[in-house]
Every structure is written in C-alpha cells, then in structure tokens.
Amino acid sequence: MTATESHPESTVTVRAACPHDCPDTCAMLVTVTDGQATTVRGDPEHPFTRGGLCVKVNNYVDKVYSSDRVLYPLRRTGPKGSGHFEQVSWDEALDEIADRFRSSIAEHGPESIMPVSYLGTEGILNGLNVGDPFFNKLGATIAERTYCDSGACTAYTMTLGATAGFDPESVVHSRYIVIWACNMVSTNLHMWPFVAEAQRRGAKVVVIDPVRHGTAKHADWHIPLRPGTDGALALAMMHVIIGEGLTDEEYVREHTVGYDELAERVSQYNPEWAAEQTGIPADDIRTLAREYATTDPAMIRIGVAVERHAGGGQTVRSIACLPALVGAWRHVGGGLLQLPLWAFPVNWGAFMHPELATPGTRVVNQFHLGRALTGELGLDPPISALMVYNSNPMVVCPEQDKVAAGLAREDLFTVVSDHFLTDTARYADLVLPATTQLEQHDIMFSWGHFYVTLNTPAVEPLGEAIPNTELFRRLAARMGFTEECFTRTDEDMIAEAFDWSDPAMAGITVESLRETGWARLNLPSADEYAPHAEGNFPTPSGKVELRSSAAAEGGNFVVPLFRQGSNEHQPGGVVDPLPHYVPPRETADTGYRLNLISPKSHAFLNSSAGDQSKQRRVEGEQGITLHPADADERGITDGQYVRVFNDRGQFVALARVSDEIAPGVAMAPMGHWPKNAKDQSTVNAVNPFAFADLGNAPTFSDTTVEVERM
Ligand SMILES: Nc1nc2c(c(=O)[nH]1)N[C@H]1C(S)=C(S)[C@@H](COP(=O)(O)OP(=O)(O)OC[C@H]3O[C@@H](n4cnc5c(=O)[nH]c(N)nc54)[C@H](O)[C@@H]3O)O[C@H]1N2
Ligand SMILES: Nc1nc2c(c(=O)[nH]1)N[C@H]1C(S)=C(S)[C@@H](COP(=O)(O)OP(=O)(O)OC[C@H]3O[C@@H](n4cnc5c(=O)[nH]c(N)nc54)[C@H](O)[C@@H]3O)O[C@H]1N2
Ligand code: SF4
Ligand SMILES: [Mo]
C-alpha cells in the first residue's frame, strides 16, 4: 500500500483509478482509516478529471461494503434463477469447475466450453483480456466481444489508421464542435467543461441526436435526426462541401487518396435526398455543411451510438472522411475524436496470448449468446459449460428472453464471477466472489484522455473475494497449466502492461506512477497537438483513405482488441471501398411503428450500480420516453405503465411523455436489472442480435417496437 499523506490515528490516502468502462478514467483518492476505506474522491490535481467523480461512483465505498456483496464462493441449492445458494470453500468450487470442464472436454471437446466477458472493469490486468490465456489454452470456443465501438474502430482504422487523432483537452481550441450521438454530460462528464470553455471562447456547439438530452440543451444547435440515418447526413454534407468548392484542395491533394472517386460517389447524395432519410430539412443540412467547412478549427466527437444500426460502419467511414476534406486536421482543435486509446502502447499480446489458442477454434459472437445456449445457433458441439466474468449478459446482451432460457438449461454448467448476485449470477451453478477496485492492483489506459493511471489497493480483500488475475491463476493451476503467463504476479503483470520503451511512455515508470498515481503520455501538449497537420496517417498509404485499401483488399474485419486470442477468423465479405448509404433495417414500414433506442442511463454504468439504492433512487425504474404525438395516439399519459413489445419480446416501462424526443422515436435507457423490473424484463428483451455492416457491431438503435397502455 502506498500512502501519499499520513495522518494520526492511521488515516492514509491511497491513489486509485475508477475501474469502469467510461472514457473519463478518473484518478481517485481513497481515504483509509484503520484499514477501512471511508471515502473516495477525485484527485483535484488531475488535469482532465479535476477532482469530481460522478453519481455512479462517488459512493463507491458503499459498493465495497454493501451487504449484498458476494464474499464467498456459492453453490446453487434451488432451481436455476431462484437465487438460492450455499457457501462452499474455494477448494470445493475450483475442484468442481475443473471436474466439470474436464468432463465437458471428454464428452464434447473443449469447444463445448464458452467464456463470456466484457468490461466490468477496464483495468489492463483484470479487464478485457484477463481470461484469454486460460481459455485459449483450454481450447474453448472463442467469444467475440463487439459490444462497443467495434464497427466504429473498423471504419475509423480503415480510413485513418489506428491514430489517437485528437486530444480531448484540445477541444478548448475548437471553434466548431459537433457532438454526434453522445450524451456527454452523462457519459463523458469530464470532457464537458472543456467544451463549455470553447463555447465561452466563441465556439459553436452542435449536437446531432434524436433526443434533446442534457448535452443538447447546452448546445447552440440541436439536430434531431431519425436514428440510423446519420450516414445520409454525413454523405450529404460531403455532397455540399465538394459541390460548393468548400474543400481544402491542398490538404486533399497532399494527404488523401480516392478523392475523385469519392466526389463522384457523393454526387448522388444531395441534401433533399438526405432530408427524406433523416427528417432534417435540406437547408439545415446545407447550413451544417457550410459552417463545418468554413469554421476553423472544426472537430467532431462521435459517440458509440453512431455505429448501432445496419449502416453503422459506413456512417463512421463517411464521418471520418469529413475532417480531411475541409483540412480540419491542420489545426490544434481540429479533427475527429473517436477513441484516444490508440495513443497507449498497451502490450495486449502479453495479456491475450493468442499463440496459446488452437488454430481453427470456432468463434461465437456474444450477441448470439441466447441462441448459442438454446441450440438455435445449431452449434456442434453444443455449449455445455459457460463461464461469465466482467459481464452481465442478462442485462447487456440482446435477446434477453433467449439468454434467460439458455441460462435456465439444467444441463448447462454455469460459473459466474462478480461482486453481486446479478440476474446472470442467479442462474449460476457456482458464483465466485470478485474483489472491487479498492481491493486489487491494476493499471489503466483511457479511451477519453491521454493519462495512464495506476490503481493501488486501498484495503485488504473482503471475505474470500479475489481479483480476476488470481481467479485465473487458481483455475490454471487446477487444470495443470504451467506456462509462465499463468504464474505471473500482479506486479509482474503491471511491469508488462505497456511497452515502456515506446516514446509515448518516456519519463513514465511504475515507480513514478506509485508517487503520482497518473501521468500524461509523452505527447505534445494539448495546446500543440495536431498529429496530422502534415498528413502522416498510419494507413497503408500514409494518407486518409477516402477510398479504403483495407476495405478493397481485406473486406470487413474486427480489430484484434475485440476478439480474444486468435485473429484468424474475420467476418469476411467484400466491402465497397467508398463510403455509401446503408439504411436502417427496421423502420416503421417494415413492422412495428416506433424506432426504439436504448442509450446509457445517467446513474448506472451499463448494468453496474444498477442494484445500488442510491443510484436506483436517482435513475428511477425502467422508463420509456415518447413524443406527445405518439403518446396521444395511443392514449398514453405521462407516468403510466406501458407494455413495449415486438416479435422478440416485451418489457414494462414507465412512460415519460416529452417533446425532447423526435416523433416516431422512443427511448428506453439500458442498465436496469430484470429482477427489479415490473415483469422481470428490461430493454434488451426487444433488441436484435443482428450485426451492423462493419466490425460485427450491435444494432441497438435499429429496433422497432409498439407501445400500449397497460
Ligand atoms: N452515465 C453513464 N455513463 C457511461 C455509461 C453508462 O452506462 N452510464 N457507459 C459507458 C460506456 S460503456 C460507453 S460505450 C459510453 C457511451 O456513451 P455515448 O457515446 O454517449 O453512447 P450512448 O449513451 O449509447 O448513446 C449516446 C446518444 O446517442 C443517441 N443515439 C442513439 N441512436 C442514435 C443514432 O442512430 N444516431 C444518433 N445521431 N444518435 C443516436 C442517444 O439518444 C444518446 O443520446 O458511455 C460510458 N459512460
Ligand atoms: N440495449 C443496449 N445494450 C447495450 C448497450 C446499449 O447502449 N444499449 N451498450 C453496450 C455497451 S457500449 C457495453 S460497453 C456493454 C457493457 O457490458 P458489460 O461490460 O457486461 O457491463 P457492466 O454492467 O459494466 O459490467 C458487467 C459486470 O461486471 C462485473 N464486474 C465489475 N468488476 C469486476 C471484476 O473486477 N471482476 C469480476 N469478475 N466482475 C466484475 C460488474 O459487477 C457487472 O455485473 O453493454 C452493451 N449493451
Ligand atoms: S464512471 Fe466515469 S465519470 Fe464516473 S468516476 Fe468513473 S471514470 Fe469518472
Ligand atoms: Mo461501451
């Protein structure tokens, strides 16, 4: 334990990092008195997060000491899903897992075992890849994890390469700021003050979103387009910019490839056509294109929802072309902000260990979990054992009814590691207790700023909880795996987390992080950061690929980050190398009449904190926002319970009637736990498993439903 300040009566402050899958990655200070954590607060010295934590985390101590924590291994005693368990020892639990995995392998082969995991914690040690070496070595089915930004990553890297691109702190220098499908004041809270500062300095802030949410209310212009039609808007912007001669000719000539073909392609996408798709008047589209092209510096911040429909990949392809056309990359404060995580030289290979995977092992995408478990996917061998950690598929996965039906299978052996008895854990045969961030070591990258953060444990693990790293050390030992990666300590892993010799890490060491807690990557300051002022894109051509060579040659792909272990399986399919429009799959004409979107809640972090009393008080129960015209037509008034349904399922929600949402659109936030819901279902009951066009991204915004009063 490293103390930064000492007080009498043994009070110390420990430097920590918020573990959540959130762009902000806040630096935290934990006050510990006599071995007990009493408060967490933000580190006021941190230049990006500046001392504030959010409503999801500022009572993290309540989570750590919650009486609902799972603190011992538990074995099921009642029917699946009943939530009846008895305490067992770690030895019994590990023996049972090893026995069941061995018998699955003997009877059906190792692919009958499937891991399910995502980003319950984002730490490099305990997060995305912590189980990968184990399951690769086991030969288990490879679970593809494309929950978040996978399509955007494919499209972005196809166009610009894996570049950090834009420093979020540079936004203070921007004069035109387009926040595209992101509710920043809820989901990227600590970036907002930088945008507000730019606004004070005269920048115009534009929000493109079907909902006039908290962020849109602070904007200078809100553009309420129909979900899933963003691609039409971006293509029509290019039509105007090219048609009206608003391009930066020199930048285009020097630093892009495929301009002539792009110009020909977008000539068909005029604003009148886009107005029909998006519901945004053609004159507004022209104004947006002209203002964007003629105000320097201009930046675009895309949220994850731009990828969540049939054409999500092509949408991001089109948006990624815009900054090059207008020469935005020339300026500090100009360009495109996707995931600055590309700036971090994370040593992914040391955590994934793809070489341990058996070549040819089958891949199942986690969106197909329900179908995989119920047999509908026709897997041979079928899944006979499942291990879930860092994820809560009953809440976050589409086709919730099928996930529940699959988990209820008596012949399925399910292990869940978590802090709480989530809806998923309630179906488990064995539940394993996981430590929280205050009880474990970790080190963090960020996908919302350029700072590395070290997390030092503040207190001893509670009960018999263990970090995910230790869980997989114990499992590997039980299975007799002897590779060096299975015996590394957490300190060894921290030493391997980054390529410390990369120039971005110059001046940063584990020792220095123990002192400071966090450090900015060794990159030019936010007042100087313009990495593409003179091109230098990490693409095959070194230029912005308006015509993408990766699309033309390799077709569709999933960036390695989202696929554990082996990277030999790609979704395949030839992709048109020029941006084009792919309309939403589900529209009012194709079935149900309301287009449902399910963005993040304000008070939960995905499903995390979804069962904590304070956060539930702030968030309320599963709701749905409807436009007054849509509510009136159905005789629905504000505050009534309604049934929301389509062919896939249904859930009950509390109606909120408001003109903050575009007509024809309904919004039900994700994250609510089925066990607390009126009919034990929440919004993912109605969402499809279908992929978007690139990167096997989800289509959470490409869903139609009907709503009726109860
Ligand atoms: N409070 C809170 N913060 C979070 C999280 C959380 O659960 N709660 N989760 C974290 C995670 S994992 C992520 S990925 C980020 C995501 O944060 P964001 O990038 O903000 O993503 P979402 O909240 O999914 O959706 C953002 C906005 O997109 C809009 N939207 C939906 N469909 C479309 C569409 O087709 N087009 C357009 N233009 N807009 C659309 C929604 O109305 C919503 O306002 O937030 C992180 N931060
Ligand atoms: N409809 C709809 N669905 C969505 C989305 C949406 O916008 N709409 N967003 C999608 C997105 S962007 C994302 S990122 C995913 C998120 O999906 P997940 O990553 O699955 O979501 P979380 O709820 O953050 O975390 C899952 C679980 O991990 C547990 N956990 C946390 N830390 C640890 C740990 O150290 N060890 C162990 N063993 N467990 C831990 C938490 O308690 C929690 O139960 O959801 C996706 N699903
Ligand atoms: S969830 Fe995000 S905003 Fe909240 S404390 Fe964690 S990193 Fe900061
Ligand atoms: Mo996410």
Side-chain angles (χ1 to χ4, degrees):
M1 189 184 298
T2 300
T4 57
E5 313 155 18
S6 296
H7 301 279
E9 81 268 332
S10 95
T11 292
V12 291
T13 303
V14 179
R15 292 188 179 279
C18 176
H20 282 303
D21 180 11
C22 166
D24 295 20
T25 313
C26 288
M28 304 202 298
L29 299 175
V30 189
T31 308
V32 182
T33 303
D34 296 333
Q36 181 98 355
T38 53
T39 54
V40 296
R41 64 202 152 94
D43 182 350
E45 313 265 292
H46 191 281
F48 189 77
T49 59
R50 298 176 174 179
L53 302 177
C54 68
V55 63
K56 297 152 321 241
V57 171
N58 56 20
N59 67 330
Y60 197 79
V61 171
D62 295 345
K63 168 181 243 171
V64 176
Y65 296 109
S66 165
S67 57
D68 293 338
R69 276 267 317 263
V70 175
L71 294 178
Y72 302 91
L74 303 174
R75 180 190 285 135
R76 181 167 65 88
T77 54
K80 291 220 171 186
S82 65
H84 296 302
F85 294 93
E86 63 180 5
Q87 187 177 329
V88 294
S89 70
W90 265 108
D91 271 337
E92 287 172 277
L94 292 166
D95 283 342
E96 188 168 335
I97 296 169
D99 285 351
R100 294 296 297 257
F101 281 6
R102 285 205 181 91
S103 60
S104 278
I105 292 169
E107 274 172 55
H108 313 284
E111 286 177 328
S112 66
I113 303 169
M114 179 169 168
V116 165
S117 70
Y118 199 57
L119 279 164
T121 167
E122 198 180 278
I124 298 175
L125 270 58
N126 290 290
L128 193 62
N129 305 109
V130 62
D132 293 0
F134 177 79
F135 288 106
N136 284 342
K137 172 80 187 173
L138 203 60
T141 287
I142 291 175
E144 185 177 74
R145 299 173 288 221
T146 53
Y147 269 115
C148 186
D149 242 33
S150 171
C153 286
T154 300
Y156 179 93
T157 55
M158 264 183 185
T159 318
L160 304 170
T163 170
F166 191 95
D167 180 347
E169 290 176 71
S170 299
V171 79
V172 294
H173 298 293
S174 309
R175 303 274 301 165
Y176 204 78
I177 300 171
V178 182
I179 302 178
W180 204 320
C182 172
N183 187 6
M184 193 177 280
V185 298
S186 278
T187 61
N188 186 190
L189 170 70
H190 295 88
M191 184 163 170
W192 179 257
F194 293 84
V195 174
E197 172 63 20
Q199 209 175 17
R200 271 192 297 278
R201 298 185 192 178
K204 181 163 181 175
V205 177
V206 182
V207 165
I208 303 175
D209 200 296
V211 183
R212 195 168 75 247
H213 45 49
T215 313
K217 284 176 190 154
H218 291 296
D220 300 289
W221 188 12
H222 172 223
I223 300 179
L225 90 175
R226 267 184 218 126
T229 64
D230 307 78
L233 180 59
L235 288 161
M237 284 174 75
M238 291 200 267
H239 175 100
V240 174
I241 289 167
I242 293 174
E244 297 187 1
L246 302 176
T247 55
D248 180 331
E249 278 179 38
E250 191 194 308
Y251 196 89
V252 168
R253 191 172 58 243
E254 302 286 322
H255 305 305
T256 71
V257 289
Y259 174 76
D260 292 340
E261 288 158 280
L262 179 76
E264 198 202 320
R265 171 62 61 86
V266 300
S267 64
Q268 62 185 291
Y269 297 122
N270 65 44
E272 280 67 28
W273 164 83
E276 271 177 37
Q277 313 299 317
T278 58
I280 302 303
D283 282 344
D284 285 359
I285 297 174
R286 285 197 177 84
T287 303
L288 175 66
R290 288 172 189 152
E291 290 182 352
Y292 170 75
T294 57
T295 318
D296 283 337
M299 73 82 70
I300 300 173
R301 195 302 195 194
I302 52 170
V304 299
V306 281
E307 69 165 17
R308 301 202 149 164
H309 46 86
Q314 287 304 323
T315 298
V316 178
R317 275 278 289 134
S318 301
I319 294 173
C321 293
L322 283 164
L325 290 183
V326 302
W329 292 112
R330 284 184 190 280
H331 315 283
V332 176
L336 175 64
L337 173 57
Q338 192 237 359
L339 296 183
L341 90 81
W342 302 114
F344 292 81
V346 180
N347 194 0
W348 299 110
F351 292 86
M352 296 167 114
H353 281 280
E355 77 288 353
L356 294 176
T358 311
T361 303
R362 79 174 171 202
V363 177
V364 173
N365 188 286
Q366 291 189 173
F367 298 138
H368 296 167
L369 180 64
R371 286 167 188 253
L373 294 179
T374 56
E376 268 178 80
L377 212 57
L379 294 178
D380 180 22
I383 306 294
S384 60
L386 186 74
M387 178 156 174
V388 183
Y389 55 100
N390 277 346
S391 189
N392 186 2
M394 273 293 294
V395 179
V396 304
C397 192
E399 297 197 315
Q400 192 175 72
D401 294 4
K402 288 197 204 300
V403 174
L407 289 173
R409 255 176 56 199
E410 271 303 326
D411 63 334
L412 178 73
F413 174 65
T414 304
V415 183
V416 175
S417 163
D418 208 300
H419 302 143
F420 294 105
L421 266 190
T422 62
D423 290 276
T424 307
R426 293 166 78 87
Y427 283 98
D429 296 283
L430 284 172
V431 182
L432 305 175
T435 44
T436 65
Q437 188 79 334
L438 300 200
E439 305 151 76
Q440 65 196 16
H441 288 277
D442 222 319
I443 187 163
M444 324 283 299
F445 59 84
S446 166
W447 50 281
H449 55 64
F450 283 174
Y451 298 82
V452 179
T453 321
L454 183 72
N455 181 75
T456 300
V459 298
E460 292 297 320
L462 272 67
E464 294 179 4
I466 60 171
N468 293 336
T469 49
E470 174 64 13
L471 171 61
F472 286 101
R473 279 192 290 265
R474 290 188 187 181
L475 282 173
R478 272 300 197 280
M479 296 304 292
F481 299 164
T482 53
E483 280 81 356
E484 186 259 316
C485 64
F486 297 118
T487 53
R488 290 178 296 184
T489 64
D490 289 358
E491 271 88 358
D492 296 338
M493 290 169 131
I494 287 176
E496 287 186 14
F498 291 103
D499 174 0
W500 301 92
S501 64
D502 188 284
M505 302 302 287
I508 309 173
T509 62
V510 178
E511 289 65 42
S512 72
L513 288 170
R514 285 197 207 288
E515 288 300 310
T516 58
W518 45 265
R520 184 178 162 92
L521 293 174
N522 178 39
L523 295 169
S525 82
D527 297 332
E528 293 163 357
Y529 192 75
H532 304 304
E534 296 180 31
N536 296 316
F537 290 89
T539 53
S541 61
K543 299 181 178 196
V544 174
E545 300 212 346
L546 306 172
R547 181 186 194 285
S548 162
S549 59
E553 285 152 28
N556 194 0
F557 60 89
V558 172
V559 300
L561 195 58
F562 300 112
R563 185 197 300 278
Q564 78 194 349
S566 154
N567 199 34
E568 69 195 271
H569 308 269
Q570 293 295 353
V574 177
V575 176
D576 182 341
L578 289 172
H580 55 277
Y581 188 54
V582 180
R585 242 174 240 134
E586 298 192 12
T587 62
D589 322 324
T590 57
Y592 298 94
R593 286 172 51 231
L594 292 170
N595 187 317
L596 180 73
I597 57 177
S598 48
K600 309 304 185 191
S601 67
H602 179 67
F604 307 149
L605 195 295
N606 301 322
S607 75
S608 298
D611 198 33
Q612 284 181 248
S613 51
K614 177 190 142 192
Q615 279 78 8
R616 283 181 67 192
R617 251 191 334 271
V618 175
E619 188 61 34
E621 55 192 301
Q622 174 77 70
I624 187 165
T625 306
L626 299 169
H627 188 270
D630 295 315
D632 283 353
E633 191 193 321
R634 292 165 177 82
I636 295 166
T637 52
D638 194 86
Q640 252 178 359
Y641 284 107
V642 293
R643 189 171 83 92
V644 185
F645 62 97
N646 59 22
D647 291 347
R648 289 178 287 264
Q650 63 163 32
F651 63 99
V652 174
L654 197 59
R656 185 169 162 264
V657 179
S658 164
D659 67 1
E660 286 172 8
I661 194 155
V665 184
M667 194 257 305
M670 63 89 68
H672 293 270
W673 288 28
K675 88 174 175 62
N676 299 326
K678 272 266 173 295
D679 67 344
Q680 272 70 62
S681 292
T682 51
V683 66
N684 271 328
V686 298
N687 279 325
F689 74 92
F691 295 140
D693 53 343
L694 291 180
N696 290 352
T699 50
F700 295 123
S701 292
D702 201 337
T703 300
T704 54
V705 294
E706 194 41 78
V707 178
E708 64 181 24
R709 46 190 293 189
M710 306 265 293

